[in-house]
């Protein structure tokens, strides 16, 4: 006999929806987001072209690029990948909650990469910039509105370039006067074993004559409210346990696992010696608060040059003394000051002291 907990009012057992379960397993989920039950995940395949309609949604207080109440088309996230024994993907608490991040703090203690081995060592601790959109595949309308989760490197960078090149395209997600985007994805090789991932190769804008009702903006979920943001303690505990033994299988394609695309981004990003953050023109938006601190660091115009001269992450005058040591002729005083200059651990991602360059922590997936 079924227990009272499983028994339905009409008698018998409560059977799960196998079709729904199959859809969830086949499309995968977004581990750092509470996906609404009525929404599927859109996974583009390399070598295919899609006509996608992008929908706006009302930003909440956790949107990193638009103030609360503004209508926006994307939700950016910064993800630490393969954390702990279960290889979890966790949002960076420094970026998303202004809390200390054990992974970013650990990265700041590592020496600046100069060899391939050091680059790989550092690479596993970078966070990845990913984006989530609400879209409809115009060639598969029965799927309804879907969540499109992909790395900025594999899609968003080209979209940004296309918008910037013609500012009138900025209304592409508007209910009226918007556009349908013809997105062609290529197959990019990833590592050994023939694995590939889908990366956007071209985006064309065509007028959307039909549009959608503006009232729909109230019904489309606020994406930043769906984010699962771990606490500093949760990240520290999982990170302390070390990475899991599970590894991705070689030869697995992008159609099966979108994680491959992001891992490919990591590997390519680490090969660039000239541009550590991999991004030639978008640092200003993120460097202001890359450590998750709300303090205004934009006033420190000389920050980059100061930290380039001091690669171990310490500021040039960490004891807070504005005197120039080179002008101090008193040898004992110099020695006394030198003793006081000790490295300080990063605390809650704040301040310049003891902090690596922001772009050294940021994995921009851009090579």
């Amino acid at each position: 006999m079924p227990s009272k907990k499983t028994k339905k009012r009409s008698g018998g057992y409560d059977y799960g929806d196998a079709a729904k379960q199959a859809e969830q397993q086949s499309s995968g989920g977004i581990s750092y987001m509470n996906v609404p039950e009525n929404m599927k995940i859109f996974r583009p395949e390399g070598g295919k072209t899609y006509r996608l309609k992008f929908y706006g949604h009302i930003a909440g207080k956790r949107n990193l690029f638009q103030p609360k109440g503004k209508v926006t088309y994307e939700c950016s996230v910064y993800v630490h990948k393969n954390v702990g024994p279960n290889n979890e993907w966790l949002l960076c608490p420094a970026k998303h909650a202004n809390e200390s991040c054990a992974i970013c703090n650990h990265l700041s203690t590592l020496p600046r990469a100069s060899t391939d081995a050091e680059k790989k060592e550092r690479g596993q601790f970078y966070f990845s910039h990913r984006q989530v959109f609400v879209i409809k595949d115009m060639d598969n309308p029965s799927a309804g509105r879907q969540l499109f989760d992909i790395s900025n490197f594999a899609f968003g960078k080209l979209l940004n370039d296309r918008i910037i090149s013609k500012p009138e395209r900025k209304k592409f997600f508007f209910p009226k006067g918007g556009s349908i985007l013809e997105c062609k994805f290529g197959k990019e090789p990833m590592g050994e074993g023939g694995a590939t991932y889908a990366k956007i190769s071209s985006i064309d804008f065509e007028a959307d004559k039909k549009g959608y009702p503006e009232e729909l903006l109230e019904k489309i979920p606020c994406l930043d409210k769906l984010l699962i943001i771990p606490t500093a303690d949760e990240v520290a505990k999982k990170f302390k346990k070390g990475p899991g033994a599970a590894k991705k299988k070689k030869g697995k394609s992008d159609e099966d696992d979108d994680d491959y695309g992001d891992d490919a981004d990591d590997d390519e990003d680490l090969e660039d010696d000239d541009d550590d953050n991999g991004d030639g023109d978008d640092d200003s938006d993120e460097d202001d608060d890359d450590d998750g601190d709300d303090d205004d660091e934009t006033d420190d115009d000389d920050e980059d040059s100061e930290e380039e001269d001091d690669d171990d992450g310490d500021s040039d005058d960490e004891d807070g003394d504005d005197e120039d040591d080179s002008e101090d002729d008193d040898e004992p005083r110099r020695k006394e000051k030198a003793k006081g200059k000790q490295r300080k651990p990063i605390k809650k991602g704040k301040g310049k002291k003891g902090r690596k360059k922001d772009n050294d922590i940021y994995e921009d997936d851009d090579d």
Side-chain angles (χ1 to χ4, degrees):
M1 291 290 294
S3 67
K4 292 182 179 180
K5 291 183 178 180
T6 60
K7 191 174 182 179
K8 300 182 69 175
R9 292 181 180 179
S10 59
Y13 290 91
D14 188 3
Y15 291 87
D17 189 334
K20 181 179 178 181
Q21 182 175 337
E23 284 184 0
Q24 291 175 336
Q25 293 177 352
S26 62
S27 64
I30 304 176
S31 61
Y32 48 82
M33 178 175 279
N34 292 309
V35 178
E37 291 187 1
N38 62 338
M39 297 191 78
K40 299 179 180 179
I41 309 299
F42 174 72
R43 303 291 189 194
E45 299 181 13
K48 291 189 175 183
T49 300
Y50 301 86
R51 296 175 65 251
L52 303 180
K53 176 61 186 177
F54 285 73
Y55 290 83
H57 70 275
I58 301 174
K61 64 180 181 180
R62 291 177 174 175
N63 190 290
L64 300 179
F65 291 95
Q66 289 289 350
K68 181 179 179 180
K70 287 281 189 178
V71 177
T72 185
Y73 64 93
E74 64 92 43
C75 178
S76 281
V77 294
Y78 295 87
V79 186
H80 288 293
K81 298 178 292 183
N82 303 324
V83 180
N86 294 319
N87 291 326
E88 297 179 62
W89 285 30
L90 303 176
L91 295 184
C92 176
K95 287 291 296 183
H96 290 276
N98 193 29
E99 293 187 10
S100 175
C101 176
I103 303 173
C104 290
N105 291 348
H106 176 74
L107 176 60
S108 70
T109 67
L110 299 179
R112 196 171 184 82
S114 58
T115 66
D116 290 343
E118 290 174 344
K119 290 176 183 178
K120 290 182 179 180
E121 171 69 13
R122 292 183 60 85
Q124 62 185 315
F125 304 115
Y126 289 129
F127 52 57
S128 173
H129 180 190
R130 298 184 67 83
Q131 293 173 289
V132 184
F133 309 87
V134 177
I135 61 95
K136 178 182 281 188
D137 182 354
M138 303 304 290
D139 297 322
N140 184 24
S142 61
R145 289 185 294 275
Q146 305 178 72
L147 292 181
F148 177 23
D149 164 48
I150 192 168
S151 71
N152 175 263
F153 170 78
F155 183 80
K157 277 188 62 63
L158 181 59
L159 177 59
N160 290 344
D161 291 342
R162 297 287 285 153
I163 294 173
I164 293 171
S165 65
K166 287 190 176 181
E168 60 268 24
R169 292 171 176 162
K170 67 182 181 181
K171 296 183 178 181
F172 74 97
F173 64 97
F174 281 27
K176 302 298 181 183
S179 303
I180 294 174
L181 275 55
E182 185 176 271
C183 304
K184 182 177 181 181
F185 289 85
K187 279 189 176 182
E188 294 291 323
M190 203 289 297
E192 301 177 357
T196 63
Y197 68 97
K199 181 184 176 185
I200 192 69
S201 58
S202 67
I203 300 177
D204 292 319
F205 291 67
E206 61 179 77
D208 180 10
K209 298 179 181 179
K210 185 177 181 180
Y212 61 92
E214 192 171 39
E215 294 76 18
L216 191 60
L217 294 172
E218 297 287 346
K219 298 181 180 180
I220 296 176
C222 172
L223 298 184
D224 60 272
K225 287 184 179 180
L226 304 178
L227 299 179
I228 302 172
I229 303 176
T231 65
D233 288 342
E234 288 172 340
V235 172
K237 289 177 180 179
K238 292 179 179 181
F239 180 60
K240 187 176 180 181
K241 292 181 180 179
K247 301 293 183 183
K248 297 185 178 74
K249 296 179 181 179
K250 292 181 178 180
K252 198 171 182 181
S253 68
D254 57 320
E255 289 83 2
D256 297 324
D257 191 353
D258 183 60
D259 296 0
Y260 266 113
D262 229 15
D263 285 345
D265 305 345
D266 298 351
D267 296 338
E268 292 184 357
D269 180 57
L270 297 178
E271 292 175 2
D272 185 11
D273 292 329
D274 298 326
D275 188 10
D276 287 342
N277 64 3
D279 186 39
D281 55 7
D282 196 31
D283 293 347
S284 58
D285 290 336
E286 292 151 4
D287 284 351
D288 293 345
D289 194 24
D290 241 3
D291 59 357
D293 188 12
D294 287 334
D295 293 341
D296 186 3
E297 296 178 6
T298 56
D299 293 338
D300 300 326
D301 295 331
D302 298 327
E303 177 180 348
D304 288 346
S305 61
E306 290 172 3
E307 292 177 352
E308 284 173 3
D309 295 335
D310 188 18
D311 286 340
D312 62 0
D314 293 333
S315 61
D316 289 338
D317 193 17
E318 199 165 341
D319 59 358
D321 192 344
D322 292 332
E323 287 186 57
D324 185 353
D325 292 349
S326 63
E327 296 178 359
D328 188 354
D329 296 327
D330 190 341
E331 184 66 23
R333 288 184 60 189
R334 284 201 301 272
K335 291 182 178 179
E336 187 63 25
K337 291 181 69 177
K339 289 180 180 179
K341 290 189 176 183
Q342 298 178 354
R343 295 180 182 177
K344 299 179 182 179
I346 293 178
K347 295 181 180 179
K348 296 190 176 182
K350 292 187 176 182
K352 289 169 55 179
K353 296 184 179 180
R355 199 193 78 195
K356 293 295 289 184
K357 281 184 70 177
D358 288 340
N359 60 15
D360 219 18
I361 292 178
Y362 171 50
E363 172 203 1
D364 201 41
D365 295 331
D366 166 46
D367 269 310

